[in-house]
Amino acid sequence: MLLKESILRLDATAIDYIIIALYFVFVLGIGYVARRAVSSSLDFFLSGRSLPAWVTGLAFISANLGAIEIMGMSANGAQYGIPTVHYFWIGAVPAMLFLGVVMMPFYYGSKVRSVPEFMLRRFGKPAHLVNAVSFALAQVLIAGVNLFLLATIVNVLLGWPIWVSVIVAAAIVLSYITLGGLSAAIYNEVLQFFVIVAALLPLTLVGLHKVGGWQGLVDKVSGSPGGSEQMSAWPGNALSGFHNNFLSVIGIVFGLGFVLSFGYWTTNFTEVQRALASKNMSAARRTPIIGSFPKMFIPFIVIIPGIIAAVVVPELAQFKATGSGQVDYNDALLLLMRDLLPNGMLGLAITGLLASFMAGMAANLSSFNTVMSYDIIERYVIKDRPDDFYLRTGRWVTVAGTLIAIGTAAIASGYSNLMDYLQQLFSFFNAPLFATFILGMFWKRMTAAAGWIGLVSGTATAILVFVLSENGVINLPGQGASFVGAGAAFVVDILISVVVSTMTRPKEESELVGLVYSLTPKEQRTEVAVAGDGGWYRKPVLLAGISLALTIVLNIIFA
Amino acid sequence: MADKKKAGAFDIRVVIALLIGIYGVVLTILGIVEKQSEVDKAAGININLWGGIGMLVFTALFVLWARLRPIAVPVEEDATEQ
């Protein structure tokens, strides 16, 4: 760690600290202002369902634009090159569009306050409890990862001791969420989005100029140990871990594109919560669709700098060639900042990273407190209290969640590639969840028992594949094991759910209105025309079509 | 309902424009007084200057947007306001 410090320590001066401090003044200011809008638990947990679509849309992707995304994806960029774009163009955009077009009408239309609550109404208590508890657990784990990364970055860049940065960061996040609830988190996510772009776009442009433009980058990477296949997206063998080109494409499209990403984007309450905070059905549906536009361009300011770092930073180029050295891929972005940015822009770049890590953690905590308060405490522990009791509970749960995150930060430190670690978590919780949701939304015969049994057996399958691959029984490098685990979990969940459904009694059809496709009248699934929602650019399905077409074009350009 | 109206009166676009605008001014000034060694570090681009100018342009656009399309107070709240 000491050696690493001397290499990565950034030469921050007073002006950089002023730029960083200014951001935090704004963050806390937003928390304070948002507080005035909180008068009920719905205001605190769902922003009173009042936000415009562009705000929730940007928050939707910002909530995911945390430490794992920024550092992990630039690390993947440095290691694998352009194929990393699959995490965005295959692994995010299609699922976000599916959420907006197909699933959001059920989430928003049924007026549930959380994804587990949808589970409760569709499948009853056992499935609800499984979902709520596993989600809450995953959120504090990931909040811990974000917190740990934040602290190491501050430690490495500025030389603060790890425990000081952990406590300072936790205190800042805690204060604005307990003050302003989800509104504070969402407004800060929107602000964070622009600060991250302002930080990473100049870095990318300077880096590209340094290597002699796009063609210069292609030449340099082709001449490096990565080789020219790192500059084209398909078939992405190194990323998927399959040697066979055909299997690799199948693995990416179905493993990453279908099971992992649909599971994550469509059932993860951290994301869906942002859409539930929007002001009407049309805005809720547009939330992930609007988010998909910036999402498809984020790789250019995250992955490209990683690729550049691997060819222009001597220490990282040496690591890529020899596999040893004092730095690793996770340092890619930091090394590039160190080498290219003058004071001023450097301060802004550090601000962007800190913003991203804190907002990632804030997103985890703001969904954690909602599920803990509405789904676990209100439902099972302390029932039937007045609303302000649950508002206070939400604030205290946030405090508790922050403390647990400080503890789980230690778990995250044991893994070298954070993306691998998180993919494992997602395949545990999200792939079977998606199977259960999608079956439950479109098959009215699916029973309550099938809901929780399918979910548990799917999750167990994912864990089994994880254990087998850890022990070397299944040998797939890269993300292959996650793809297989998620795929197996999905298939097992569907099979078990179908079998159990045929043996148990279905719910009354009257209880499933608004929850199952065939039993929900069309009016309830589509948006009512509201003043101010006119114009072709406010039509969810049309917007989704444009987004999909753009993504396909990008895939063709970088194929 | 009165509380929600307050939330509506708070325009995040102005806040974003203000922060990015301050950054733009600071970076532009830094860029003007930049030493050659710093410019060389960034591959010969005065990134503070250009970044600063870019942010000021962004700020102008956001302020313009907020001016042209102010937050509309929903119709049903108008009655309580008057």
Side-chain angles (χ1 to χ4, degrees):
Chain A
M1 210 60 195
L2 276 175
L3 267 177
K4 209 165 151 182
E5 276 179 36
S6 61
I7 287 184
L8 284 170
R9 178 69 49 79
L10 297 182
D11 191 15
T13 56
I15 192 72
D16 299 314
Y17 281 107
I18 290 172
I19 287 174
I20 298 169
L22 194 60
Y23 176 72
F24 288 106
V25 170
F26 270 73
V27 165
L28 292 174
I30 287 177
Y32 184 74
V33 174
R35 187 196 172 132
R36 295 186 313 176
V38 177
S39 58
S40 71
S41 73
L42 197 65
D43 288 338
F44 186 76
F45 293 122
L46 287 179
S47 304
R49 295 192 202 268
S50 63
L51 300 176
W54 72 271
V55 167
T56 50
L58 285 180
F60 187 91
I61 57 158
S62 271
N64 175 256
L65 202 57
I68 298 104
E69 183 91 346
I70 302 256
M71 303 308 277
M73 286 305 165
S74 56
N76 279 342
Q79 187 174 2
Y80 301 116
I82 291 285
T84 311
V85 295
H86 294 316
Y87 284 109
F88 297 81
W89 299 342
I90 300 291
V93 171
M96 290 164 70
L97 301 180
F98 186 82
L99 172 65
V101 172
V102 179
M103 293 176 76
M104 194 52 72
F106 298 103
Y107 284 139
Y108 197 89
S110 63
K111 291 284 168 203
V112 292
R113 298 168 300 180
S114 70
V115 168
E117 194 169 300
F118 184 89
M119 211 64 171
L120 177 70
R121 302 218 357 226
R122 177 65 185 81
F123 296 117
K125 280 185 176 173
H128 173 248
L129 202 59
V130 170
N131 184 204
V133 170
S134 67
F135 176 80
L137 193 68
Q139 289 317 300
V140 282
L141 282 177
I142 299 172
V145 175
N146 274 313
L147 188 59
F148 172 75
L149 270 172
L150 177 81
T152 31
I153 297 305
V154 175
N155 169 262
V156 169
L157 297 186
L158 306 174
W160 295 18
I162 293 228
W163 66 271
V164 172
S165 19
V166 163
I167 289 170
V168 170
I172 291 175
V173 171
L174 187 60
S175 45
Y176 75 75
I177 300 187
T178 43
L179 282 174
L182 186 65
S183 294
I186 285 183
Y187 283 136
N188 270 318
E189 280 157 8
V190 176
L191 182 67
Q192 168 224 356
F193 173 80
F194 290 104
V195 171
I196 289 177
V197 173
L200 293 182
L201 186 59
L203 180 68
T204 310
L205 294 177
V206 172
L208 272 179
H209 183 70
K210 171 110 175 166
V211 295
W214 182 255
Q215 194 52 47
L217 183 61
V218 171
D219 294 342
K220 280 212 165 59
V221 171
S222 302
S224 82
S228 59
E229 71 264 25
Q230 292 216 336
M231 290 309 284
S232 49
W234 295 98
N237 303 53
L239 185 77
S240 65
F242 294 104
H243 294 296
N244 183 301
N245 287 354
F246 179 71
L247 280 183
S248 176
V249 172
I250 296 287
I252 288 171
V253 171
F254 287 96
L256 176 66
F258 186 61
V259 187
L260 272 183
S261 97
F262 275 66
Y264 175 75
W265 291 100
T266 63
T267 65
N268 189 314
F269 179 55
T270 311
E271 303 299 332
V272 176
Q273 187 180 26
R274 268 86 200 136
L276 293 185
S278 53
K279 59 185 176 184
N280 56 40
M281 172 73 93
S282 167
R285 294 184 73 189
R286 272 183 284 134
T287 294
I289 299 169
I290 289 175
S292 73
F293 288 95
K295 183 75 185 171
M296 70 180 82
F297 294 105
I298 287 174
F300 294 113
I301 58 169
V302 175
I303 298 175
I304 304 282
I307 302 176
I308 295 172
V311 290
V312 304
V313 178
E315 294 98 323
L316 198 62
Q318 190 209 340
F319 177 77
K320 194 165 177 172
T322 64
S324 62
Q326 292 165 358
V327 298
D328 65 30
Y329 293 122
N330 286 324
D331 302 325
L333 215 49
L334 302 176
L335 290 163
L336 200 64
M337 282 162 50
R338 178 200 68 177
D339 284 2
L340 295 183
L341 294 184
N343 290 113
M345 203 44 101
L346 181 66
L348 187 54
I350 299 174
T351 308
L353 292 185
L354 296 179
S356 137
F357 300 173
M358 289 209 339
M361 182 186 166
N364 301 135
L365 285 178
S366 59
S367 54
F368 170 79
N369 67 18
T370 308
V371 167
M372 277 306 282
S373 307
Y374 276 158
D375 288 293
I376 296 177
I377 296 177
E378 184 180 358
R379 193 71 61 182
Y380 297 102
V381 187
I382 310 169
K383 299 171 193 170
D384 303 322
R385 293 289 184 93
D387 187 70
D388 67 320
F389 171 80
Y390 296 107
L391 173 58
R392 274 201 314 277
T393 306
R395 293 197 158 115
W396 282 111
V397 166
T398 314
V399 175
T402 309
L403 293 177
I404 301 170
I406 292 175
T408 54
I411 300 175
S413 65
Y415 287 79
S416 61
N417 191 332
L418 284 161
M419 207 58 217
D420 274 340
Y421 170 65
L422 280 188
Q423 292 284 9
Q424 298 298 352
L425 274 182
F426 296 158
S427 65
F428 279 26
F429 299 123
N430 288 322
L433 202 51
F434 174 61
T436 299
F437 265 96
I438 204 71
L439 202 60
M441 275 181 182
F442 289 95
W443 193 41
K444 63 181 182 185
R445 180 69 182 75
M446 186 171 177
T447 63
W452 75 266
I453 296 174
L455 201 54
V456 169
S457 49
T459 310
T461 309
I463 295 174
L464 182 71
V465 174
F466 175 69
V467 171
L468 289 180
S469 73
E470 287 290 292
N471 293 334
V473 181
I474 303 173
N475 191 15
L476 284 170
Q479 310 288 357
S482 290
F483 296 171
V484 171
F490 181 86
V491 172
V492 167
D493 186 313
I494 296 276
L495 287 179
I496 299 278
S497 299
V498 170
V499 171
V500 174
S501 288
T502 56
M503 297 188 299
T504 44
R505 212 170 59 85
K507 288 183 82 163
E508 293 297 323
E509 294 199 353
S510 58
E511 292 175 20
L512 297 177
V513 176
L515 305 172
V516 178
Y517 184 83
S518 61
L519 298 174
T520 308
K522 193 155 191 292
E523 310 82 67
Q524 210 173 322
R525 279 188 274 119
T526 44
E527 50 276 0
V528 196
V530 187
D533 266 353
W536 61 269
Y537 56 90
R538 291 205 179 88
K539 301 234 178 301
V541 178
L542 182 65
L543 269 183
I546 296 171
S547 173
L548 190 63
L550 262 176
T551 313
I552 292 171
V553 170
L554 283 173
N555 263 297
I556 294 171
I557 293 175
F558 288 90
Chain B
M1 271 333 247
D3 281 312
K4 281 188 190 137
K5 222 168 2 178
K6 263 190 250 161
F10 165 71
D11 191 342
I12 187 67
R13 290 173 296 186
V14 176
V15 180
I16 294 168
L18 186 62
L19 180 67
I20 301 287
I22 297 174
Y23 282 162
V25 171
V26 171
L27 291 180
T28 306
I29 293 171
L30 275 178
I32 291 170
V33 301
E34 195 84 289
K35 288 195 288 285
Q36 190 56 40
S37 62
E38 293 284 271
V39 177
D40 292 340
K41 187 181 179 189
I45 303 177
N46 190 337
I47 192 64
N48 276 342
L49 181 63
W50 290 110
I53 292 173
M55 284 171 216
L56 290 176
V57 171
F58 171 88
T59 305
L61 290 175
F62 248 57
V63 170
L64 200 65
W65 180 26
R67 273 299 189 76
L68 292 179
R69 286 281 188 88
I71 292 176
V73 180
V75 186
E76 66 267 21
E77 287 186 4
D78 271 353
T80 54
E81 200 173 41
Q82 281 158 8

